[in-house]
Amino acid sequence: MGLKYSKLTPRQTGELVKLFVAGSTARTAANLVSVHRNTAALFFSKVRAVIAAHQEVAMAEAFDGPVEIDESYFGGRRKGKRGRGATGKVAVFGILRRGGKVFAQMIADCGQATLVPIIRRKVAPASVVYSDSWAGYDTLSVEGYEHERVNHDEELVADGGRHINGIENFWSQAKRHLRKFNGVPKESFPLFLQECVWRFNTGTPREQLQSLRKMLRRRMIS
């Protein structure tokens, strides 16, 4: 594979793709492939843009069946409260279909006026929706969903499948991946977020490599 309009050789391009899938930073990849770190950073940035474009199409349909919803904050060392104390952090809303894929997007805030329209767009009517006790979800029952709440303060282990372990697992994986970059600029965060969604939804590293190669060929980046 050779990067279009690039001085990268086919071998260097192929190695950079493998290192991207492995989760390497651009700096580490540049050292391993013997290219300038700016070249590797630009390549990785283009790869993330291709992934984000792919995700926009792949995640266009609404989820049906039981789903879990949650919001989380990325960035910073201090743990802020929901809707408060999140200065300098990026708010993200996520929806996970149990036994299926996850959807996530960066949001301005975690208020009801922000969250409910996303839920209406991404979750089919009459679906069972599991959430925590955040007030932003108060109207879901009247929106036509079967709403099941989890109160983490009162329930150590929820009964009857009443939990949001799946979406919390995604948050954990995404934050673990992003931590190695020592801070992601806010303007670049949506691309990094969609990379995390793609990794979670695609499966094993081998499946990710196959998926990425196919995307890059289709987009004529490599």
Side-chain angles (χ1 to χ4, degrees):
M1 294 187 298
L3 185 61
K4 194 175 183 182
Y5 308 123
S6 170
K7 295 179 181 178
L8 288 169
T9 68
R11 182 195 67 80
Q12 289 172 327
T13 302
E15 289 302 312
L16 285 173
V17 170
K18 290 178 183 177
L19 289 166
F20 179 89
V21 170
S24 296
T25 65
R27 182 185 293 272
T28 298
N31 291 335
L32 292 172
V33 182
S34 300
V35 299
H36 194 279
R37 67 187 182 204
N38 290 345
T39 300
L42 177 60
F43 182 86
F44 278 13
S45 178
K46 288 184 176 182
V47 168
R48 289 189 177 97
V50 169
I51 289 173
H54 169 80
Q55 289 299 106
E56 189 172 350
V57 175
M59 304 303 294
E61 294 185 5
F63 290 173
D64 58 0
V67 300
E68 299 173 18
I69 61 175
D70 193 29
E71 72 288 342
S72 187
Y73 291 100
F74 285 71
R77 293 177 177 273
R78 293 172 57 189
K79 218 173 182 181
K81 296 179 180 179
R82 294 183 185 276
R84 299 184 181 89
T87 304
K89 297 184 180 182
V90 175
V92 178
F93 178 60
I95 304 172
L96 178 135
R97 186 185 187 280
R98 287 191 175 174
K101 299 183 183 298
V102 70
F103 163 87
Q105 75 172 67
M106 183 174 163
I107 53 177
D109 60 72
C110 296
Q112 188 176 100
T114 298
L115 300 179
V116 171
I118 301 173
I119 296 167
R120 284 198 208 109
R121 177 168 57 88
K122 294 301 301 179
V123 181
S127 296
V128 180
V129 178
Y130 295 89
S131 79
D132 61 14
S133 56
W134 175 234
Y137 307 128
D138 282 352
T139 63
L140 290 187
S141 293
V142 297
E143 292 285 343
Y145 299 103
E146 184 179 335
H147 188 198
E148 297 283 347
R149 288 184 180 272
V150 181
N151 190 329
H152 291 306
D153 293 333
E154 296 179 2
E155 299 173 278
L156 293 178
V157 178
D159 297 324
R162 201 169 65 253
H163 63 79
I164 52 171
N165 296 343
I167 188 66
E168 289 181 337
N169 179 47
F170 169 69
W171 296 141
S172 177
Q173 289 189 31
K175 290 178 180 180
R176 185 166 59 249
H177 176 68
L178 295 179
R179 198 172 296 128
K180 70 184 69 173
F181 299 102
N182 296 318
V184 175
K186 194 170 184 178
E187 60 272 16
S188 302
F189 183 82
L191 294 182
F192 280 83
L193 176 63
Q194 292 313 310
E195 175 198 344
C196 292
V197 171
W198 168 77
R199 288 180 183 275
F200 186 91
N201 289 343
T202 303
T204 66
R206 182 173 181 175
E207 290 169 327
Q208 291 172 14
L209 183 58
Q210 292 173 343
S211 169
L212 184 54
R213 283 172 170 167
K214 187 181 296 184
M215 278 189 277
L216 294 177
R217 285 195 297 267
R218 191 174 298 151
R219 294 280 175 170
M220 296 182 67
I221 278 193
S222 65

